[in-house]
Every structure is written in structure tokens, then in C-alpha cells.
Amino acid sequence: MQREATQPDGLSRLLRCVARSVDGHAVLLDRTGRPLHAFPEMRDDLLAAVAGEVERIRLGQVHSAAVEHDTQMVAALSISHPRPGPVLVTASGKQVFLQARELLADSARLLWLCWQVTEARRARQRLDQTYFQFREVVLNLLMVGDRDGAARVAAMLGPPLADPIRVYVAEYEPRKGTREALAAQCAEVCDGQAWVVLCPGYRRHVIVLAPVGDPSSSARDDTGRPCVEADPVEERFRGFVQGRGDVHVGASQVVSLRETAAGYEQAFHALAAAKSGAEHYARFRPQEELAALLGQTGRDWAGKLLAPLIEYIPDRCHDPDAKELARTLQFWLMAYNVSAKALKIHRNTLSARLSHIERLLGCDLHQIRTQATLDLALRILHYPRSSSGDHQDSINALLNTAAVRLWAQRQLTPLLTDDAQQSLTTLRAWLASDARLDMTAAALEISVPGTRKRLLRVERLLQRSLLIGPSARYDLWLALRIHDGHDL
């Protein structure tokens, strides 16, 4: 029995030993009288015969009791001492019961030890779950730009949130590990100084917000961000995935804590590149963001477009307000089908909110044209208002500049070669079909799996994620419209 008690399923194993020892039945009841383990399953009439005695034991009036039912002796024994707790119930022949009373007392002690170990393990699991839920709360606050709220919650758990950071997204192969194990490995890679979160949307992803080396005050990269001379965490992540094919890691550029959402999108796209490369690690290749080019001059247009949503006041106090609806739209545009998980709402609630947003804005959210336009407007509003008077309230005027046309050219450069014509045709058909694989396959007159393979080839060329979010489809749709000279 001691040997069985040391096994992970020691409670059920011990109960089997007790049942065999009494040549009958054994069942363990929890503190409420609910059966937890039984071997073999005990008849209802046997449990009913001793129900009154079990209640007395649960109330602490007696420690053990036995009743005779037909030809069986049904015994109940508290396995905890001195306070009432779980109850062991056995059913056996009368003679066997008399011979096994000492054995039952000894087994009760072992059962109590196993019970305490099991309860401690469950408590640890609940604690771990709560721990990761708090970390998820911090991530959600950062994704909507609430840095101060995130910092207050993070201060209770530690480590403190670094600023600036580099965002990493790590993905594991399910057959070769667990996400919790990957999270622990990522924390070890970062020496416990990073904020490690189990991704609320994608079950195989772990998100890491890691501090970076000291940025130089003078050196700047092409996007105007401070350069980091050395980043030991990044080097350790490179070494972590080197030589193993079960983990891939994508890394963002250095971003401020307020730019966590942008850093996450960068790391997500870098992960797509890492999965198609030999090193299993990739850092996001910076390209100018269209919202950054239009952030100063496009705010009037974005504000006018989103005004019905931003200025919305619900008729009932318990209905979602403008801030909740805008947050819902932002997460849905980023994550689509997994946005309900990230927002912690039911998918029917998400559908109802999206329908409400459609009515407010007078649009069809299933069209990629609408998605790209709204995504651009939301991004532009994140940039501070300019004191310059050069503002535009027309999207076509905003996009009709040399800087924007150069941006579109850079986005499409990998697809504008002679060798990539098929990939460009596939991308055009996919975007024209509102990113639906079945409609794209019909337009190209090929199978759906064949269409998916072609789009994966486009992903490798662009080093961006297309089929799952965050997706680069909005930038590519806009880039094609600008490149072709079409009005929006």
C-alpha cells in the first residue's frame, strides 16, 4: 500500500488495494458526501444503508460506524483526524470485515496523506491558473494602450514591466511538449526578468515581453527608434531554438511599452518567417507603417470616419459603450475568430457587438475593403494630433502622395518579379474574394488545399502572416489599390 501511495494516482490505487483486501467494495466520499473514487462501483442500496452514519461522521459526532445490510457489512470511516473530512466506505462479508478492521485503520492514514497531496496539487494548479490569468489581464491592458493600469497590476506580481521592450511570440509542437513547459523555458531564457503570458487566443503560443539592452541616446534605426547595441535576451532566444525543430520564435523590433500591440503584431509576422526558415528564429524586418506616414495628416479623416462609434452613448447602462465597442473592433480586426477568447466574451456576444458596430458605421465588416479602412483609421488615431494645419479629410487625398506610393512599392516588392507572378495573382484573387479560401479557389480554378499552399508561399516571400491573425492582408489590400492607382 505504501508503494501504491507514492504513485501519481495514489488515491485510486489505494482504494483498489482496500477493495481487494476486504474482498468487496470500497468508495471514497469527499467532504460533501459525493463519491470521488470507487472500486468496483458500489450499489446504491449499500450507500443508502450507511448514509445516516456517514452524515454523523461528516458532522464530527463519531469517527467510524458499521451497519449490517443483507449479508454485507457496510463500514464508514473518516480518513482525516481530528477534524471531519473525506469518508471511506467499504462493503464486505461480516467475517472478512472483522479480520480487516486493523487494515482499514492503517489504509485510512495512507489515504489521508494521499488526499492532502492531491489537494495541495490542485491548489497549486489553481494558483498557477490565477497567476497566468493576472498576466493575461496585464497583456490585455497593454494591448489597448493602458500602460498605467498594466503597471499597477504588474507591480503586485512582478517582475516590473520594462520599457522599452522586445516582444517575442514562441510556438511549440504539441507532440513534443506543453505550453506551460515552454512558458517556464522562456522565463528561464530571460532570467526571470520578462513578462511571460500564455496567449489567450492561440493555444500553442507563448507571448514574452522582455527587457532589452540599453538603447543608445543618439543612434537611431530607419524608423527613428533608438538602436540597441546589444540584446543578451535575444541572443539567448536564438541559442534556445538553435538545433531544435519543436519550437519557433518570432521577435519584434524594440518598441515602447505603449506600443505593445504593434510589437505583438511584428512578433507574430516574424513567427511566420521563423517557421519557414532554417534557424527557427526571426526578427521582424521593419518597413514603414502606413499609419505612421498618415498619422499627422490623416487624423481628421479617421476621426470623421469613426465618429459614430467614438461618440456613441448606449441607451441602457449595461450595454457596451463606445470604448468597449472600439476595443472589440480592434481585437476582432487583429485576431478574427480567436478575438472572443482574448476579450473573454461569448462568440454570440462578439457577433452581436459586431452587428451593432456595422449599424453604427453603416458598413459591412465582412468586406476586406471595410476591414482595411477601419484598421487604418484606428491606427491613425493612436498617433498624437499634429499642430500643423496640413490635414486631409479624404482617404484618396491622403494616399495620393509620393511617400505613400513608395510605401506601397516596398510592400509589394517581393511579388513584383517575374518569378512571383503566380503568387501576385493568387494574392489578388484572395483579397478580391474577401480572404475566403473557397471563393479564391473557385476564382483560380484550383483546389482549396492548393490555394492554401500558394498563400503559404506568399507568406514566405513577404515574411508576413496572411492566413491567421494578426494578418498583413489590410496593408497588402491598400498597397495593391495604391500601386494600381485605384480610388478607395
Side-chain angles (χ1 to χ4, degrees):
M1 282 188 175
Q2 291 177 351
R3 193 164 49 246
E4 297 289 0
T6 61
Q7 302 300 316
D9 55 344
L11 271 176
S12 59
R13 287 174 173 267
L14 277 176
L15 215 60
R16 288 173 178 265
C17 288
V18 172
R20 286 194 293 265
S21 299
V22 300
D23 194 21
H25 301 263
V27 60
L28 186 64
L29 309 178
D30 65 10
R31 293 182 177 92
T32 65
R34 181 174 58 91
L36 287 179
H37 301 282
F39 183 81
E41 188 173 348
M42 189 175 290
R43 301 197 316 262
D44 292 339
D45 61 313
L46 294 176
L47 284 175
V50 78
E53 303 302 326
V54 169
E55 184 64 20
R56 292 175 61 202
I57 294 174
R58 289 180 54 241
L59 294 175
Q61 298 175 356
V62 295
H63 183 69
S64 63
V67 297
E68 189 172 352
H69 181 73
D70 293 336
T71 60
Q72 298 279 307
M73 285 295 296
V74 186
L77 172 66
S78 174
I79 68 170
S80 61
H81 186 76
R83 63 184 186 277
V87 177
L88 171 65
V89 178
T90 62
S92 62
K94 185 175 181 179
Q95 188 62 34
V96 174
F97 168 72
L98 293 175
Q99 296 173 353
R101 283 184 297 182
E102 186 175 346
L103 174 68
L104 291 177
D106 291 337
S107 62
R109 299 186 185 97
L110 287 175
L111 284 168
W112 175 236
L113 290 174
C114 286
W115 172 272
Q116 293 181 90
V117 170
T118 301
E119 287 295 290
R121 187 180 297 117
R122 289 174 180 168
R124 176 58 186 269
Q125 291 173 348
R126 289 192 296 268
L127 182 62
D128 289 344
Q129 184 178 9
T130 303
Y131 176 76
F132 281 113
Q133 286 175 344
F134 269 107
R135 289 181 167 268
E136 187 179 320
V137 168
V138 172
L139 177 66
N140 284 339
L141 289 171
L142 289 173
M143 295 291 273
V144 298
D146 189 356
R147 184 185 65 175
D148 294 337
R152 286 194 297 270
V153 178
M156 297 186 298
L157 296 176
L161 291 170
D163 195 3
I165 60 171
R166 196 186 300 276
V167 182
Y168 299 87
V169 176
E171 182 181 72
Y172 74 101
E173 293 293 337
R175 295 182 180 179
K176 299 182 179 180
T178 66
R179 187 161 64 157
E180 289 73 16
L182 177 58
Q185 291 171 340
C186 289
E188 184 177 350
V189 167
C190 301
D191 287 338
Q193 299 302 308
W195 199 260
V196 182
V197 187
L198 302 182
C199 180
Y202 299 94
R203 295 183 177 180
R204 293 165 54 187
H205 288 185
V206 172
I207 302 171
V208 182
L209 312 180
V212 296
D214 293 333
S216 170
S217 59
S218 58
R220 300 277 169 172
D221 62 17
D222 295 337
T223 65
R225 302 186 188 281
C227 292
V228 176
E229 296 298 333
D231 190 347
V233 173
E234 184 179 28
E235 293 305 314
R236 288 197 293 268
F237 263 115
R238 289 183 185 275
F240 172 62
V241 300
Q242 188 176 12
R244 51 186 300 179
D246 59 332
V247 176
H248 303 88
V249 175
S252 74
Q253 294 292 303
V254 177
V255 298
S256 69
L257 203 56
R258 290 190 185 276
E259 299 173 309
T260 299
Y264 169 67
E265 291 189 28
Q266 292 180 5
F268 199 101
H269 290 310
L271 177 64
K275 291 164 66 175
S276 61
E279 295 183 0
H280 309 295
Y281 178 94
R283 187 204 286 183
F284 181 77
R285 294 191 307 179
Q287 294 181 351
E288 287 181 295
E289 294 184 13
L290 183 57
L293 293 176
L294 306 179
Q296 303 297 332
T297 59
R299 193 176 180 88
D300 288 349
W301 164 79
K304 182 179 178 180
L305 177 68
L306 296 173
L309 177 62
I310 296 172
E311 300 170 2
Y312 168 72
I313 300 176
D315 295 330
R316 297 176 297 181
C317 61
H318 60 272
D319 287 342
D321 59 12
K323 187 174 181 180
E324 288 178 283
L325 291 177
R327 181 168 178 259
T328 299
L329 178 60
Q330 178 186 354
F331 270 78
W332 181 77
L333 289 171
M334 180 188 298
Y336 289 102
N337 294 332
V338 300
S339 54
K341 294 180 181 179
L343 291 166
K344 301 300 180 185
I345 60 176
H346 194 273
R347 61 179 181 272
N348 292 342
T349 303
L350 173 64
S351 179
R353 288 188 183 182
L354 294 176
S355 297
H356 190 39
I357 293 171
E358 286 182 325
R359 290 191 295 270
L360 288 174
L361 298 178
C363 64
D364 183 359
L365 289 178
H366 293 92
Q367 295 180 348
I368 197 167
R369 172 195 185 99
T370 302
Q371 296 168 11
T373 305
L374 293 178
D375 179 74
L376 178 60
L378 286 170
R379 290 174 185 272
I380 287 176
L381 288 183
H382 285 152
Y383 286 86
R385 185 180 297 276
S386 172
S387 58
S388 170
D390 186 19
H391 293 168
Q392 299 286 349
D393 58 4
S394 166
I395 181 62
N396 291 319
L398 282 170
L399 300 182
N400 189 25
T401 66
V404 171
R405 288 191 291 272
L406 179 59
W407 170 85
Q409 181 75 17
R410 289 174 176 173
Q411 294 291 317
L412 300 174
T413 294
L415 301 179
L416 298 180
T417 64
D418 293 338
D419 295 338
Q421 286 303 305
Q422 185 186 73
S423 296
L424 181 60
T425 301
T426 302
L427 178 64
R428 286 185 184 276
W430 184 64
L431 294 175
S433 303
D434 290 324
R436 289 184 53 181
L437 285 175
D438 53 347
M439 293 176 58
T440 307
L444 295 173
E445 298 182 347
I446 59 176
S447 66
V448 171
T451 303
R452 183 183 292 275
K453 288 181 180 179
R454 287 193 183 185
L455 288 171
L456 290 174
R457 193 177 304 123
V458 175
E459 283 190 350
R460 290 193 292 270
L461 287 173
L462 298 175
Q463 294 199 355
R464 296 291 188 275
S465 170
L466 294 180
L467 295 174
I468 58 176
S471 173
R473 66 188 72 179
Y474 309 137
D475 282 346
L476 293 173
W477 187 86
L478 290 167
L480 281 172
R481 302 291 290 186
I482 297 166
H483 179 268
D484 297 340
H486 293 162
D487 290 340
L488 270 68

